[in-house]
Amino acid sequence: MNGTKPRRAYVETYGCQMNISDGELMEGVLEGEGYEIVSSAEEADVILVNTCAIREHAERRVLGRVGQLSGLKRTNPDLVIGVTGCMAQRLGEGLLEKAPHVDLVMGPDGYRTLPEALARLRPLSGNARRLSVLHLTLDENYQGLEQRRRSTVGAWVPIQRGCDHRCTFCIVPYVRGAEKNRDPQEILGEIRRIADEGITEVTLLGQTVNSYVSGDWPFPRLLQAVARVDGIRRVRYTSPHPNDVTPDLVDVMAMEEAVCEHVHLPVQSGNDRTLKRMVRRYTVDSFMEKVAMIRQAMPKVALSTDIIVGFPGESESEFQDTLDLVREVRFDEAFTYKYSPREGTPATRLPPGQFVSDAEGQDRLERLIEVTRGIQAEINRAEVGTVVELLLERTGKHEGTVLGRTRRSKAVVVPGEASDAGRYVSALLTSTTGATFVAERLEAGKPLAGVS
Ligand code: SAH
Ligand code: F3S
C-alpha cells in the first residue's frame, strides 16, 4: 500500500449462517485489497454492518446499532459506515434517509465491488458521501471470491444463493434474488483447500440447498463428492426444502460416513390450509412421508425445524394442528417464530381482518415453545449415559471448559482448553439442561466405532 498504513475494516454480522458466510466473504475481498481486518468497531476506518431482513425485530436491532456506531464519527470524521446484506437491499436508498450517518448501502450481490465503492466514497465528504449498490443479478456467481474464514474447525461453504420459491411470508427472494448455483468443481476445489488447511467439518449452505443442481450434478452427487474429500470427517447442509428430499439424497446420507446424522427440515406449519396459503408446496402428509423416509434410512438421525405461528388467518384449531405435528414428529430442536409482516411479500396483502393479534401470536408462540422444549428435554434426557463423538469447537463460558458438537448437532460442554479446538474426542454424556449437555471426556483422538 505504498508504505501507507493499511486501512482497517470491521465487519459486524447479524442473522443466518449465509450472512455469517457473506461477512467472511466481505472480509476476504477487503483483505485481498490490502485492508487489515480488525475485531472492534473502535479501531476501524470502515465499518460494515451486515444485516438481516427476515423479521422486523432483526431490523430494529440493526438500526439501533448503526445509530450507536455513528457516534464514532465524532472522534473519527473520516470513518465510513456501510450497511450491507438483506436489510440494505430491502430498504435501499430509504436507509440513507432513515440513518443519516450511513455512507454506503450495499445489497448481497455487490460484495465484489466493495473495494471500488469504498475508494469512490473516500474522497467525498458531507452529504455527497453516499452510495448505494443495489442491483441483483443472475450474472453474479460469486466465482473467485473467497472467504476469510474465522474458524479453524468448521467451514461454511455457500453452494447456492437466492431462492426460486415464493413462500408468502418470506422476504428472501426479494432481497437475494433468484436461485443461482455455484460450479461443482469450484466448490470441490474450495473444500479440498479447506481440508488441506486442517478443517475437518464443512456445512454446505443455500436457501433451499437440496434443490442445488448444476449440469449433471444434482445435490446428492455433490454431497457424496464432498463427503469423499480427503480429510473431511463431517459434512452438514442447511437448509433443505422438504420437497427436494429425495430417495437419492437419503441414500447418500445413509451411505456416506462423513455425512452427519442431522437434518434441519423447516416445516413452518402443521396445517394443510395454512401450508397452502404459505405456498410451501407440500402437505402435512407429504412432509410426514419425508420424515419417515429419512428415519427409515437413518434411525439415529436428529431432526430440527423452523415453525411460524400466527400466520394471517391461522385459527386456533389450525395452530393446534401444528402442536399435533410437533408431538408426532418429536423434533430434537425447533426454531419458533411469531409471524412478522414483511412489506412487499404476498402475505401482507391478505385481508386486514385476518391478521392474528400480537397478543394471540405471542400466546401461541409461548405454548408452542413449551411443547417443543419439553420434547427436546425428553429426547436429550434419554441420551444421558451414552457415549458420543465430539468435535471440539471453542472455549466454554466457564474456565477450563470447551464446547463441542455431536454428529447429531447437539451442543456439549466438556473439560478442556482453547488448544483443544479442532480435536475429536469421545465423551460420556453425564447430564443435560434440556437443550445442551455436560459430558466427561473418555479419550482423545480417533472416534470409537459405532457411536453417535
Ligand atoms: N430457506 C431458508 C429460510 C430462511 S428464513 C433457510 O435457509 O432456512 C429462516 C426461517 O425464518 C424460516 O424458515 C421461517 O421459519 C422464518 N421466517 C421467515 N420469514 C418470516 C416472517 N415473515 N415471520 C416470521 N418468521 C419468518
Ligand atoms: Fe424463504 Fe421459502 Fe425461499 S422460506 S428462502 S421463500 S423456500
Side-chain angles (χ1 to χ4, degrees):
M1 299 220 36
N2 299 334
T4 54
K5 215 164 66 165
R7 304 215 142 235
R8 287 159 301 178
Y10 168 68
V11 181
E12 184 167 296
T13 291
Y14 293 84
C16 63
Q17 290 187 337
M18 184 63 89
N19 261 15
I20 296 174
S21 168
D22 280 355
E24 292 183 337
L25 192 134
M26 283 185 256
E27 291 181 344
V29 168
L30 290 174
E31 207 170 45
E33 288 291 315
Y35 280 79
E36 180 191 341
I37 306 300
V38 293
S39 57
S40 79
E42 287 72 18
E43 300 165 71
D45 310 308
V46 175
I47 298 177
L48 298 171
V49 184
N50 184 24
T51 61
C52 169
I54 203 78
R55 282 170 294 275
E56 198 190 335
H57 174 72
E59 292 198 351
R60 257 193 270 130
R61 249 178 83 202
V62 162
L63 282 176
R65 178 65 177 147
V66 168
Q68 195 184 26
L69 290 169
S70 308
L72 295 172
K73 284 197 169 183
R74 262 180 257 131
T75 48
N76 181 5
D78 286 338
L79 175 68
V80 174
I81 299 184
V83 177
T84 63
C86 294
M87 176 184 168
Q89 186 70 38
R90 191 181 89 75
L91 295 176
E93 305 204 335
L95 191 62
L96 294 173
E97 262 125 63
K98 239 187 183 143
H101 291 288
V102 170
D103 307 290
L104 171 70
V105 173
M106 183 177 271
D109 277 355
Y111 303 147
R112 188 185 292 278
T113 62
L114 194 49
E116 187 189 313
L118 292 172
R120 269 172 68 189
L121 277 170
R122 217 171 292 137
L124 307 172
S125 61
N127 281 342
R129 204 166 83 166
R130 338 210 79 186
L131 182 64
S132 50
V133 183
L134 297 164
H135 56 275
L136 287 174
T137 163
L138 276 176
D139 297 336
E140 177 48 284
N141 56 8
Y142 290 79
Q143 199 153 344
L145 298 182
E146 280 229 8
Q147 283 135 284
R148 174 183 183 268
R149 299 185 191 278
R150 290 187 197 179
S151 168
T152 52
V153 177
W156 288 320
V157 179
I159 64 165
Q160 171 193 70
R161 290 176 182 270
C163 181
D164 279 348
H165 285 253
R166 289 288 179 276
C167 304
T168 53
F169 51 80
C170 184
I171 192 78
V172 170
Y174 307 94
V175 292
R176 285 190 173 268
E179 178 181 315
K180 293 172 281 189
N181 293 303
R182 279 178 70 196
D183 176 67
Q185 296 307 338
E186 206 198 334
I187 296 167
L188 288 166
E190 185 177 341
I191 292 173
R192 281 186 209 109
R193 283 196 297 281
I194 289 168
D196 285 346
E197 285 162 20
I199 288 180
T200 60
E201 178 177 273
V202 292
T203 305
L204 306 178
L205 289 181
Q207 299 298 339
T208 54
V209 68
N210 55 337
S211 70
Y212 173 95
V213 58
S214 179
D216 54 358
W217 285 80
F219 183 68
R221 182 174 177 199
L222 180 69
L223 184 66
Q224 180 166 58
V226 171
R228 293 181 178 184
V229 169
D230 271 351
I232 296 299
R233 280 172 69 166
R234 287 187 174 188
V235 181
R236 306 179 185 278
Y237 60 89
T238 200
S239 286
H241 191 284
N243 287 6
D244 294 311
V245 172
T246 58
D248 280 355
L249 172 58
V250 171
D251 279 352
V252 168
M253 287 196 75
M255 251 161 44
E256 292 301 324
E257 217 177 305
V259 181
C260 289
E261 295 79 16
H262 170 230
V263 185
H264 180 68
L265 201 58
V267 67
Q268 313 299 357
S269 163
N271 172 265
D272 280 343
R273 194 184 76 101
T274 308
L275 286 172
K276 187 151 195 189
R277 293 183 321 118
M278 288 176 163
V279 191
R280 286 294 290 176
R281 310 183 196 182
Y282 52 80
T283 60
V284 170
D285 281 352
S286 64
F287 182 85
M288 293 305 294
E289 280 167 22
K290 301 291 163 129
V291 169
M293 178 164 75
I294 295 169
R295 282 186 166 153
Q296 173 146 35
M298 282 169 291
K300 278 204 209 153
V301 75
L303 292 178
S304 55
T305 197
D306 292 339
I307 300 170
I308 297 176
V309 300
F311 183 77
E314 183 192 65
S315 68
E316 170 61 24
S317 91
E318 287 166 347
F319 166 67
Q320 293 283 342
D321 289 346
T322 296
L323 292 181
D324 287 346
L325 177 130
V326 160
R327 290 192 187 103
E328 195 175 336
V329 177
R330 295 179 67 77
F331 294 102
D332 291 79
E333 186 166 21
F335 299 89
T336 51
Y337 307 103
K338 184 169 71 170
Y339 170 71
S340 170
R342 305 281 61 210
E343 204 184 317
T345 58
T348 58
R349 296 191 284 274
L350 290 165
Q354 287 197 2
F355 280 72
V356 176
S357 76
D358 227 36
E360 184 60 40
Q362 188 59 32
D363 182 64
R364 286 180 195 171
L365 184 63
E366 283 165 22
R367 283 186 284 154
L368 175 62
I369 289 174
E370 198 180 317
V371 174
T372 55
R373 291 227 177 116
I375 292 168
Q376 180 181 38
E378 277 170 26
I379 295 174
N380 288 349
R381 276 198 298 269
E383 285 177 26
V384 170
T386 62
V387 172
V388 292
E389 178 204 88
L390 292 183
L391 170 55
L392 301 179
E393 291 177 358
R394 59 192 155 88
T395 50
K397 246 196 303 200
H398 300 291
E399 176 108 28
T401 64
V402 282
L403 280 178
R405 226 160 246 287
T406 68
R407 289 178 57 93
R408 302 173 73 239
S409 204
K410 309 250 168 164
V412 181
V413 182
V414 286
E417 53 206 52
S419 62
D420 281 332
R423 281 207 182 120
Y424 286 84
V425 297
S426 294
L428 172 69
L429 301 176
T430 51
S431 68
T432 174
T433 60
T436 60
F437 291 90
V438 174
E440 274 168 28
R441 275 165 80 152
L442 297 179
E443 61 170 85
K446 291 222 152 80
L448 297 177
V451 300
S452 56

